[in-house]
Amino acid sequence: MKYLDVEIRPMTDSDLPQVMEIENTSFLHPWKEKDFHYEMHENPVSNVWVIEYSNASLGLKTIVGFVDYWVTFDSGTICQIAVHPDIRRSGVGSELMDEVIKDAKIKKIRTLTLEVRESNEKAIKFYQKYGFNISHVKPSYYSNGENALYMILEVN
Ligand SMILES: CC(C)(COP(=O)(O)OP(=O)(O)OC[C@H]1O[C@@H](n2cnc3c(N)ncnc32)[C@H](O)[C@@H]1OP(=O)(O)O)[C@@H](O)C(=O)NCCC(=O)NCCS
């Protein structure tokens, strides 16, 4: 019997309470449920996935993170990636990023891009570990006036 299963799958409406808990503890200006609803049901370019840990013997399932990435032609954009604060730095974000890169290769995507707050050193280190490079600064990109770093990964 397998004790712990890990599954990355498309987000559904019933995931939203757990997703919102992660969202609200991860971002300065968190998305609302309606934003995830749009990504799941209306945005034609989005891929919005959760990572779920399950304990078969106890019948428990817990969402520990999620990612939203957009695909337009040969480009991918990571819009959101977050891991539950209680379980960060234990490889969950990497499992999500591995899945994004695997999917990007299948879809023949050439570059993955993203914006990250200049102050978000942990996330910048995370992206750099995957080979993302800082392309340029987007001044005052965020509503509080903070700059964004625009980062790019050559995929294929
Ligand atoms: C960024 C984030 C998704 C990373 O997820 P994670 O599950 O903690 O990352 P991992 O455990 O897979 O870490 C992979 C690598 O990233 C880097 N990294 C991750 N967290 C780090 C930290 N706190 N300090 C320094 N490096 C870190 C390390 O290189 C790490 O590899 P190592 O542990 O072998 O040294 C997570 O910190 C998070 O949810 N942050 C809040 C939301 C956020 O800022 N999202 C990004 C918005 S642009």
Side-chain angles (χ1 to χ4, degrees), residues 131-145:
F132 281 83
N133 290 311
I134 298 167
S135 156
H136 57 274
V137 176
K138 293 190 175 184
S140 305
Y141 180 81
Y142 295 100
S143 56
N144 68 347

Side-chain angles (χ1 to χ4, degrees), residues 22 25-27 64 66 78-85 87-96 114-117 120-130 142:
I22 299 171
T25 51
S26 296
F27 296 105
V64 290
F66 59 83
I78 296 174
C79 299
Q80 286 248 6
I81 183 165
V83 170
H84 194 289
I87 197 177
R88 284 186 195 149
R89 202 73 193 264
S90 59
V92 176
S94 298
E95 291 187 73
L96 286 168
L114 58 90
E115 282 98 10
V116 58
R117 285 179 185 274
N120 195 347
E121 290 172 18
K122 296 171 186 170
I124 294 165
K125 286 210 160 47
F126 172 72
Y127 296 131
Q128 283 173 330
K129 182 170 183 190
Y130 274 87
Y142 295 100

Side-chain angles (χ1 to χ4, degrees), residues 16-73:
L16 284 177
Q18 288 185 80
V19 166
M20 288 309 299
E21 190 190 326
I22 299 171
E23 175 75 12
N24 287 329
T25 51
S26 296
F27 296 105
L28 194 58
H29 298 291
W31 281 8
K32 304 221 177 333
E33 280 200 18
K34 68 177 172 52
D35 302 311
F36 286 102
H37 197 271
Y38 176 78
E39 295 301 289
M40 281 189 277
H41 302 296
E42 292 175 53
N43 185 346
V45 300
S46 75
N47 299 269
V48 55
W49 303 327
V50 293
I51 178 165
E52 187 172 59
Y53 282 6
S54 13
N55 183 320
S57 59
L58 295 178
L60 289 175
K61 291 186 170 198
T62 309
I63 290 166
V64 290
F66 59 83
V67 63
D68 182 17
Y69 105 102
W70 294 355
V71 175
T72 44
F73 302 100

